[in-house]
Amino acid sequence: MTGITRLGWTTAVGVGTFATFALVGAAGATLPYTPVGGGGFGEPGPVLGPGLITPDKVFGKEYSADVDHEITAVGTAPDPKQIVAWDGIGGVLNGQDFSPPVFPTVLVDFEIDAIANHGDYLFNALIEDDAHLLFSLDEEFVAYGPGMIPGFGFIPPGAPSPAPPPVVLANGNMVGGSGEISYELATFGGANPADTQGRWADQAEINGMPLPRDIDGLEVWGPEPGTTADVDKLSLRLDAATGFGGAPVSVFNGDGTAYITLPEIEAVVTSLLGDIPTSVEPDALNLDALMVRDIVGEDTSFDRDPTGPGLGDAIIFSIDQIADPTDPDGYYATGSEIFVLDAGGFGSFLTHGGHAWDHAYALSTFSIGMPGGNQNYGVFDIDAIEAVSEFAVPEPTTATLLALLTCATRRRKH
């Protein structure tokens, strides 16, 4: 986020509503992780359909927090680059830690702000509007007071009933707070109405103690019980500060090598949003949400398919919000645009839920109030994305395990 003076916390986040609240910590013990059915030997996986699977049925779920943390017996402790596995009923355990020697010592204090696997399940189905989109909102967004005076807006980490109220989008749909995960339904060939969002996982389902404040990275459909890491692609905060001896890096491989550079991300963003104005904070461009499809060559390199455009490696991503008070709508990028980039350099906005996730859609749907008026105004910023299905094939039973042994092959997610 940009260095603008904070205005305060926001709780009842509906159109034109700004209020304050305080977070109160609670003592207790960490809830143990319960392995999720599925994800075992035989490689069961998601099955597409118009319905929406519940969090407790999705195996291999991992998150990163705005302030990365490790799981302790009595809660969490700050730990940069630590991934957390969660079971969907409040239990958690430590996943992979990307601290040195995995990453260079100079990046030791950099926080993770996007995670993915090189072969994300449902990547293609998401683009085809057949898989449901998951997303989380950044705790902070740039807000404008009366007369378009900039400041900081905040959304609540959670949306328990009856208070504080859930986050209300401009289209009237209620989604989760910054410590929760929301969804947009795929239209699935017309089976679902367009532009349908809601809350998918609440705070207590993600981490029962302590409740998470800001989820900023999400990966699902990995192995169980969560001790084997599925994340092998990640982005750090801030991208512009990672270029030691070369171009800054927007997406790293799990071994700390570069996968996609910041200039590659900047090229596609500026092709769709225009040149970054000189009026905004320097080095503001930062990738903060990610899915990956690596199907050509080595999975540590972003490779184009020589047979044609759009057939090679690709990513789906979002970026940090970039406020621009000189712009009529207040933003160069709202942070809720979602981009698609293939290794051939072709970029577009994601089309999902019956609409394009472009600048106009973000302004019309993820905004509070209207720009230019004498009222509070702001736009929410998406900072984590993933995809889920209607249900998942469960883990094989003992009776079928022997048969699976003869034909099982290593999973490659698509």
Side-chain angles (χ1 to χ4, degrees), residues 1-8 66 113 137-144 150-155 178 214 216 237-239 280-288 319-324 330-331 333-336 377-383:
M1 302 294 293
T2 56
I4 302 174
T5 304
R6 298 189 177 199
L7 293 183
D66 180 63
D113 66 354
L137 299 177
D138 196 327
E139 180 182 38
E140 298 178 351
F141 61 93
V142 174
Y144 291 92
F152 262 127
F154 290 81
I155 66 172
S178 62
D214 190 350
D216 75 346
R237 187 187 306 116
L238 293 164
D239 293 1
V280 306
E281 185 175 296
D283 300 329
L285 185 61
N286 179 69
L287 185 147
D288 70 348
I319 63 173
D320 271 348
Q321 188 170 87
I322 302 177
D324 180 12
Y331 304 90
T334 68
S336 288
Y377 167 68
V379 180
F380 304 135
D381 178 5
I382 287 176
D383 65 351

Side-chain angles (χ1 to χ4, degrees), residues 247-253 255-261 264 300-302:
V249 178
S250 286
V251 182
F252 284 94
N253 294 306
D255 62 3
T257 57
Y259 185 67
I260 300 176
T261 66
E264 291 175 281
T300 56
S301 58
F302 196 52

